[in-house]
């Protein structure tokens, strides 16, 4: 009987201190949610840094993560094509799905939605989180989503977000200064993950290893890229950790450009444990590739 | 009003309406996918009764076209319609309804999901998978012999998640019209009476073994009246498992198997009870993202006799150059049929070609 009582008291204590349960698609969004929510939130995410966020299997274990969540924060723009099935499978009627792309200025929005253009960027390029200036509109969405769940904490959320954005602002200046010497340089990327990143740093993406977003490299396309890399004197080929290196390495061998593996999400490496250290790592690694 | 004026007015109205209608439609239209499959087949069993074992001339035929529509009905429910145009006679084939059902996804007590319509029932694992998503070309012998093409019936299905901590455990119970029973056993009901209702249930659990590997285990049952004249009942028990390891986006290994046990009462000379069983086990290895190779072993008795047996194996390979928009599958299978005093083996070679139009959904486990 004593145990039962103790259990009930513990359970009630648990309820009264219940944090807002937030699940995010990417680990980077989990970091931002933690920054805004502090100890008012408990945060989990679905896609690991070594997984391609476009292609995630619909696993019941992901549904379990969403089953008791209050909020599901997503990048939107159909990056998470798999999300509706996981949301439905979670059977969570009180789950709010938040699209963080609302306030972001979108790039590469096609005039015509058609599978002939590749199958993964039908609503524009969704990789906007790699431009740290987009963290502000994303955080605004997070603040308002958390506030809807817990209106009493609005001031805390806003203050946390502002403090983080201040810290991030200083970092952004540092990153921009570091990359300034390389402005206008041409690079090649595997997938169109780096459009926002390049746009921010004034880099010029001359081509992609993928012929179209989501379509695997082909020998003819790689041959064209080799010619391009040679003629433009391109030094770096950016590849996300989850793509096969054989096509980029073949191009690198033929041209002397450097294959630069850059994570697009935090958590994959010791040096990239959160969003700021991710951009730190990506900027520093790219700078050293371009320096050569 | 002069006619030209009227035409002009109509034209203006259309001009005003048109853009908004177009915008509204793109968001309301259901997802539509069309998946035709073609088959080139040859086997060495066609002249066996003449005492000759030679491969037949490869026959190129239309296998099936599947047209699937899916959309949310409202925030609580979605609907699925799967139409099928079966081969091989492309000209005279009639479009049929493979599945048509609505699923209530949320808003019900106990977070229950409710499905109503005609659908592939949740019995075992492979029964819920459409042939275009199989790694092999032909169905396992067990599936063919005990379920017919598939267990697909009119019914109502309810499922709940059981409170097993972080493990996803689902219990599904179906009340089926019973029309699919004849398809599985070849028994034709000529009593003119309405069929007796059938029931299926499946309990499945999903275990995360590591960041890269998962295991699903399911236990199903199926019961109904297979002989309406004597009201004879059958019971199926089925154990299924699926293991998948995916160390990278380019490589994966699936091992899946099912074991089915059948008991039924039959009236031959007198009432008698029959037990029989069947199983399949396959492995499919995907590499360089676009290729896959695999093997399957098959063994199955028949619903009405443990003496009517078939066994065999299949070796298969797949090539999917651009996701699942285009697929080529090759299969070699050897099947041995055994009856008392009769044994026959047939070798067959199949090449399947399929393509898929429309949005591509994320793959379920
Ligand atoms: Zn992308």
């Amino acid at each position: 009987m004593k145990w039962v009582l103790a259990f009930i008291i513990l359970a009630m204590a648990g309820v009264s201190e219940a944090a807002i349960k937030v699940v995010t698609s990417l680990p980077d969004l989990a970091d931002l949610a933690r920054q805004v929510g502090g100890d008012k939130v408990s945060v989990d995410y679905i896609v690991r840094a070594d997984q391609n966020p476009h292609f995630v299997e619909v696993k019941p274990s992901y549904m379990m993560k969403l089953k008791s969540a209050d909020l599901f924060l997503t990048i939107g723009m159909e990056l998470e094509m798999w999300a509706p099935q996981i949301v439905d499978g979670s059977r969570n009627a009180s789950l709010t799905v938040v699209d963080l792309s609302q306030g972001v200025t979108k790039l590469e929005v096609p005039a015509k939605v058609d599978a002939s253009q590749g199958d993964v960027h039908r609503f524009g390029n969704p990789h906007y989180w790699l431009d740290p200036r987009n963290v502000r509109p994303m955080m605004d969405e997070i603040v308002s989503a958390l506030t809807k769940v817990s209106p009493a904490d609005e001031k805390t959320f806003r203050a946390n977000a502002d403090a983080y954005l201040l810290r991030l602002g200083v970092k952004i200046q540092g990153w921009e200064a570091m990359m300034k010497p390389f402005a206008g340089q041409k690079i090649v990327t595997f997938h169109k993950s780096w459009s926002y990143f390049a746009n921010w740093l004034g880099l010029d993406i001359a081509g992609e290893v993928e012929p179209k977003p989501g379509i695997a490299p082909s020998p003819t396309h790689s041959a064209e890229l080799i010619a391009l890399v040679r003629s433009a004197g391109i030094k770096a080929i950016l590849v996300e950790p989850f793509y096969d290196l054989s096509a980029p390495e073949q191009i690198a061998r033929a041209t002397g450009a450097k294959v630069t593996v850059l994570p697009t999400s935090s958590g994959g490496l010791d040096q990239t444990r959160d969003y700021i250290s991710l951009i730190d790592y990506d900027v520093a690694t790219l700078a050293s590739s371009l320096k050569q | 009003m002069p006619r030209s004026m009227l035409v002009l007015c109509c034209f203006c109205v259309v001009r005003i309406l048109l853009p908004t209608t177009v915008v509204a439609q793109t968001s309301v239209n259901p997802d539509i996918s069309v998946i035709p499959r073609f088959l080139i087949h040859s086997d060495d069993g066609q002249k066996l009764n003449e005492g000759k074992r030679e491969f037949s001339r490869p026959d190129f035929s239309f296998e099936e076209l599947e047209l699937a529509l899916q959309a949310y009905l409202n925030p609580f429910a979605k609907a699925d319609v799967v139409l099928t145009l079966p081969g091989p006679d492309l000209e005279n084939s009639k479009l049929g309804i493979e599945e048509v059902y609505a699923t209530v996804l949320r808003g019900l007590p106990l977070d229950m999901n409710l499905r109503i319509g005609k659908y592939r029932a949740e019995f075992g694992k492979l029964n819920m998978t459409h042939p275009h998503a199989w790694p092999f070309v032909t169905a396992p012998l067990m599936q063919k012999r005990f379920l017919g093409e598939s267990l697909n019936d009119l019914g109502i299905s309810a499922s709940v998640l059981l409170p097993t901590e972080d493990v996803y455990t689902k219990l599904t119970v179906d009340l089926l019209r019973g029309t699919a029973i004849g398809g599985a056993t070849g028994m034709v009901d000529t009593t003119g009476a309405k069929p007796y209702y059938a029931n299926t249930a499946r309990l499945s659990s999903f275990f995360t073994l590591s960041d890269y590997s998962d295991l699903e285990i399911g236990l199903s049952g199926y019961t109904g009246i297979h002989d309406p004249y004597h009201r004879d009942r059958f019971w199926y028990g089925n154990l299924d498992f699926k293991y998948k390891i995916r160390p990278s986006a380019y490589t994966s290994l699936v091992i899946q198997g099912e074991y089915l046990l059948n008991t039924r009462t039959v009236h031959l000379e007198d009432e008698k009870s029959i037990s029989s069983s069947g199983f399949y086990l396959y492995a499919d290895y995907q590499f360089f993202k676009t290729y896959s190779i695999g093997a399957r072993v098959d063994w199955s008795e028949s619903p009405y006799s443990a003496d009517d047996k078939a066994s065999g194996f299949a070796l298969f390979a797949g090539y999917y150059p651009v996701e699942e928009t285009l697929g080529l599958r090759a299969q070699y299978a050897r099947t041995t049929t055994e009856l008392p005093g009769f044994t026959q083996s047939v070798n067959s070679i199949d090449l399947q070609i399929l393509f898929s139009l429309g949005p591509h959904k994320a793959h379920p486990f």
Side-chain angles (χ1 to χ4, degrees):
Chain A
M1 193 60 209
K2 245 189 227 164
W3 285 109
V4 173
L5 263 177
F7 179 78
I8 291 170
I9 289 165
L10 270 175
M12 283 170 66
V15 168
S16 66
E17 282 188 19
I20 304 172
K21 280 196 78 178
V22 180
V23 175
T24 70
S25 56
L26 304 186
D28 317 281
L29 305 185
D31 180 34
L32 300 184
R34 241 176 250 123
Q35 301 294 342
V36 176
D39 57 5
K40 309 274 182 207
V41 296
S42 76
V43 184
D44 198 359
Y45 61 87
I46 288 175
V47 189
R48 293 186 316 270
D50 63 350
Q51 281 178 297
N52 184 340
H54 285 298
F55 302 107
V56 169
E57 253 184 323
V58 177
K59 289 188 196 178
S61 48
Y62 300 146
M63 299 170 189
M64 290 306 278
K65 288 190 184 205
L66 290 181
K67 192 173 187 299
S68 56
D70 299 296
L71 295 174
F72 181 34
L73 306 184
T74 66
I75 289 291
M77 302 175 76
E78 264 206 358
L79 176 81
E80 302 97 342
M81 287 180 289
W82 39 271
Q85 283 157 277
I86 291 173
V87 169
D88 288 347
S90 76
R91 307 186 175 202
N92 181 347
S94 50
L95 180 72
T96 306
V97 181
V98 184
D99 177 347
L100 297 182
S101 74
Q102 309 271 347
V104 171
T105 309
K106 296 165 180 78
L107 298 180
E108 298 160 15
V109 180
K112 177 174 157 239
V113 174
D114 185 334
S116 69
Q117 299 308 306
D119 59 355
V120 298
H121 288 177
R122 303 191 305 153
F123 296 94
N125 189 316
H127 301 276
Y128 60 82
W129 72 96
L130 291 166
D131 177 350
R133 296 172 304 177
N134 284 334
V135 169
R136 182 175 290 278
M138 291 161 77
M139 268 199 166
D140 288 346
E141 290 296 331
I142 296 174
V143 168
S144 79
L146 288 176
T147 302
K148 268 179 203 140
V149 183
S150 180
D153 293 314
E154 179 173 15
K155 282 201 176 113
T156 315
F157 297 146
R158 193 65 255 175
N160 288 347
D162 289 342
Y164 182 82
L165 288 168
L166 207 63
R167 202 145 56 86
L168 184 69
V170 175
K171 293 298 293 187
I172 288 174
Q173 285 178 2
W175 293 323
E176 286 174 351
M178 193 181 210
M179 291 301 288
K180 195 144 200 191
F182 310 109
Q185 275 215 28
K186 287 191 164 73
I187 55 169
V188 164
T189 71
F190 190 102
H191 174 73
K192 277 183 180 279
S193 303
W194 302 97
S195 301
Y196 293 86
F197 183 81
N199 182 47
W200 163 48
L201 296 168
L203 298 165
D204 180 3
I205 299 177
E208 285 86 24
V209 179
E210 283 183 334
K212 292 272 162 68
I215 306 299
S218 70
T220 33
H221 185 69
S222 292
E224 283 166 24
L225 269 187
I226 289 171
L228 174 77
V229 170
R230 277 203 192 118
S231 69
I234 289 166
K235 289 177 181 162
I237 303 166
L238 272 55
V239 187
E240 300 79 342
F242 39 81
Y243 285 119
D244 184 48
L245 288 174
S246 53
E249 271 169 355
Q250 186 205 351
I251 298 165
R253 270 196 305 275
T255 59
K258 193 167 183 237
V259 172
T260 308
V261 177
L262 291 188
T264 51
S265 271
S266 53
L269 303 166
D270 286 343
Q271 307 98 295
T272 59
R273 31 176 221 292
D274 55 24
Y275 179 77
I276 286 180
S277 56
L278 169 79
I279 306 294
D280 257 337
Y281 178 87
D282 285 350
V283 166
T285 310
L286 181 58
S288 87
S289 283
L290 293 177
K291 222 171 268 170
Q292 285 162 357
Chain B
M1 195 166 14
R3 179 169 286 184
S4 60
M5 195 75 161
L6 192 73
V7 170
L8 196 68
C9 274
C10 287
F11 180 72
C12 289
V13 168
V14 168
R15 276 288 298 271
I16 292 160
L17 284 178
L18 210 58
T20 49
T21 338
V22 169
V23 169
Q25 272 182 355
T26 51
S27 57
V28 174
N29 275 347
D31 286 345
I32 301 171
S33 63
V34 184
I35 308 173
R37 301 199 309 278
F38 300 89
L39 193 66
I40 300 172
H41 174 89
S42 171
D43 68 63
D44 66 359
Q46 292 172 23
K47 288 187 177 169
L48 280 181
N49 47 4
E50 298 169 30
K52 282 190 232 165
R53 181 176 284 281
E54 58 186 51
F55 273 96
S56 56
R57 205 166 60 89
D59 183 24
F60 180 43
S61 65
F62 164 68
E63 196 181 358
E64 192 192 5
L65 180 138
E66 229 179 73
L67 173 70
L69 298 97
Q70 190 184 59
Y72 287 96
L73 291 171
N74 53 50
F76 308 98
K78 70 176 193 201
D80 285 79
V81 179
V82 183
L83 303 177
T84 172
L85 190 72
D89 190 349
L90 198 49
E91 273 83 46
N92 301 310
S93 176
K94 267 200 224 139
L95 196 65
I97 290 175
E98 163 127 351
E99 295 186 285
V100 51
Y101 60 88
T103 314
V104 183
L105 299 161
R106 46 196 143 241
L108 295 174
L110 302 170
D111 292 328
M112 188 192 292
N113 275 13
L114 213 57
R115 183 150 73 142
I116 299 166
K118 181 183 188 292
Y119 52 85
R120 288 170 169 261
E122 202 163 331
F123 174 82
K125 183 71 183 166
L126 196 69
N127 190 56
M128 280 110 64
T129 315
H130 285 255
H132 66 80
W134 295 347
F136 30 75
V137 177
T138 52
L141 297 172
M142 180 201 100
Q143 174 110 352
K144 275 191 216 160
R145 292 193 151 211
F146 286 98
L147 298 179
E149 286 287 299
S150 62
L151 168 45
N152 180 337
D153 204 350
L154 217 61
I156 300 173
S157 159
S159 78
V160 288
L161 299 184
L162 301 183
T164 44
E165 297 279 306
D166 289 339
V167 177
Y168 178 96
T169 303
K170 188 169 79 165
L171 176 68
T172 309
V173 178
D174 288 66
L175 175 67
L176 302 171
R177 187 163 186 268
T179 7
I181 299 168
T185 58
M187 285 282 279
V188 181
D189 179 6
T190 51
T191 56
K194 289 197 176 68
Y196 293 93
Y197 288 105
N199 289 92
T200 59
R202 181 167 183 258
L203 179 68
S204 66
S205 280
F206 184 88
F207 303 95
T208 302
L209 304 179
S210 74
D211 276 353
Y212 306 98
S213 59
D214 303 275
L215 173 69
E216 184 186 345
I217 296 177
L219 188 64
S220 321
Y222 178 24
T223 183
I225 302 293
H226 67 93
D227 179 349
Y229 303 96
H230 301 97
R231 297 199 182 183
D232 284 339
R233 184 166 280 280
F234 72 94
W235 297 85
Y236 284 175
N238 189 82
L239 184 68
D240 65 80
F241 81 94
K242 180 177 184 177
Y243 168 79
K244 186 168 191 175
I245 180 161
R246 181 184 280 278
S248 80
Y250 294 85
T251 322
S252 70
L253 172 70
V254 174
I255 301 173
Q256 183 177 324
E258 289 185 53
Y259 173 76
L260 184 149
L261 188 65
N262 150 61
T263 54
R264 65 182 65 217
T265 44
V266 291
H267 282 78
L268 298 168
E269 283 91 45
D270 44 13
E271 192 179 309
K272 193 175 125 180
S273 172
I274 293 173
S275 287
S276 59
S277 59
F279 79 87
Y280 75 85
L281 179 69
Y282 83 80
D284 183 45
Y285 175 66
Q286 179 210 20
F287 56 103
F288 301 143
K289 198 173 184 183
T290 49
Y291 300 93
S292 76
I293 50 165
R296 188 180 80 207
V297 285
D298 272 292
W299 182 88
S300 182
E301 293 168 342
S302 85
Y304 286 95
S305 166
D307 294 329
D308 176 358
K309 281 183 212 151
S311 60
F313 66 91
L315 304 172
F316 44 89
Y319 175 54
Y320 310 91
V322 189
E323 299 297 316
E324 66 263 53
T325 55
L326 182 64
L328 292 171
R329 284 185 196 125
Q331 176 180 288
Y332 162 72
R334 182 178 174 84
T335 307
T336 304
T337 317
E338 252 181 280
L339 289 162
F342 173 85
T343 304
Q344 191 179 68
S345 293
V346 173
N347 299 292
S348 57
I349 295 168
D350 289 286
L351 183 67
Q352 191 183 49
I353 303 117
L354 60 98
F355 49 89
S356 165
L357 295 73
H360 299 113
K361 298 241 146 191
H363 293 261
F365 175 80

